Amino acid sequence: EAGVVQSPRYKIIEKKQPVAFWCNPISGHNTLYWYRQNLGQGPELLIRYENEEAVDDSQLPKDRFSAERLKGVDSTLKIQPAELGDSAVYLCASSLADSSYTFGSGTRLTVV
Amino acid sequence: AQSVSQHNHHVILSEAASLELGCNYSYGGTVNLFWYVQYPGQHLQLLLKYFSGDPLVKGIKGFEAEFIKSKFSFNLRKPSVQWSDTAEYFCAVRGTGGFKTIFGAGTRLFVKA
């Protein structure tokens, strides 16, 4: 079974530039999460989807971050424009309802 | 609000030593509890979980954790660590009825061969 697939693995951009991350969850997993993990900290939830509906985006900085999950399968997280403080690892995870998560490898973003 | 506290940020042990990593949480209701592990260069993966029943749960690679409700704790243990246990360990808590999981800051374990 393929795991949660994320791309790219690494991204370096200049501040004020846009960036997008892509996630393909495990087939059949209706719940998809985007987390951000800063250096030395645990993952922090940005947004949770149930199928194609964003049911918890309270921690998503909506002035510059956006996400979508068209057709309730894969998802894209975008930052526009990026700031220096956005440097972090962006993790995607999926699950079946209230089961445990399966994480992807993450995208390490460096904003210079 | 939910919160998770992991007591140690860094732990260094010699092989065959016993391990206990502390985790305390703050939440007023029923919880699901998890330990995730991230080996160097790999993604986060589930080590063990507690949903209900026996408060002593066993996970992969000889790890176990005990849920003590009165202490709001879910400490991770292993009687004898190996060099391959070098990793970062994250405790996580989810209030039942909601699917938002809160993670602790992580404990980085280094096992000396």
Side-chain angles (χ1 to χ4, degrees):
Chain A
E1 177 189 83
V4 176
V5 179
Q6 288 188 248
S7 67
R9 286 295 306 273
Y10 305 92
K11 190 74 176 179
I12 301 174
I13 61 170
E14 294 183 342
K15 61 182 180 182
K16 301 185 182 180
Q17 294 301 306
V19 65
F21 315 123
W22 176 79
C23 172
N24 191 11
I26 289 177
S27 178
H29 279 193
N30 58 322
T31 308
L32 183 146
Y33 313 80
W34 283 102
Y35 278 82
R36 177 171 59 190
Q37 186 174 15
N38 292 310
L39 191 63
Q41 297 181 25
E44 297 176 323
L45 181 69
L46 291 173
I47 189 168
R48 172 169 66 90
Y49 281 94
E50 294 288 339
N51 300 305
E52 66 274 12
E53 183 183 0
V55 296
D56 184 354
D57 63 356
S58 57
Q59 301 302 312
L60 189 74
K62 298 180 183 65
D63 57 336
R64 297 183 299 107
F65 285 65
S66 64
E68 60 182 14
R69 191 185 184 196
L70 301 176
K71 301 181 181 179
V73 181
D74 56 352
S75 177
T76 303
L77 178 69
K78 298 178 182 178
I79 309 174
Q80 182 170 13
E83 297 178 352
L84 294 176
D86 296 331
S87 295
V89 176
Y90 291 83
L91 296 166
C92 180
S94 69
S95 71
L96 276 172
D98 61 351
S99 66
S100 56
Y101 296 6
T102 300
F103 281 90
S105 299
T107 296
R108 184 176 296 274
L109 173 67
T110 302
V111 182
V112 297
Chain B
Q2 282 176 252
S3 66
V4 179
S5 175
Q6 291 187 238
H7 305 163
N8 308 96
H9 291 296
H10 295 92
V11 174
I12 301 174
L13 295 173
S14 298
E15 276 195 312
S18 64
L19 170 72
E20 181 160 4
L21 301 182
C23 173
N24 285 90
Y25 67 92
S26 172
Y27 185 73
T30 306
V31 294
N32 300 145
L33 298 159
F34 308 85
W35 276 97
Y36 285 86
V37 61
Q38 188 167 24
Y39 297 103
Q42 298 186 27
H43 59 274
L44 276 162
Q45 54 189 286
L46 183 68
L47 198 56
L48 48 79
K49 62 185 178 183
Y50 171 80
F51 280 19
S52 64
D54 187 345
L56 183 63
V57 294
K58 297 190 183 298
I60 60 172
K61 303 185 180 183
F63 285 89
E64 64 179 32
E66 184 175 13
F67 171 46
I68 302 179
K69 189 175 181 180
S70 61
K71 294 184 178 180
F72 299 91
S73 70
F74 190 56
N75 292 354
L76 180 71
R77 300 194 293 250
K78 186 171 184 178
S80 176
V81 295
Q82 300 173 312
W83 176 81
S84 59
D85 294 323
T86 293
E88 191 159 15
Y89 294 81
F90 294 90
C91 181
V93 174
R94 180 178 66 202
T96 57
F99 300 146
K100 181 176 180 176
T101 300
I102 306 296
F103 287 80
T107 297
R108 194 161 288 192
L109 171 66
F110 181 73
V111 180
K112 298 182 291 185

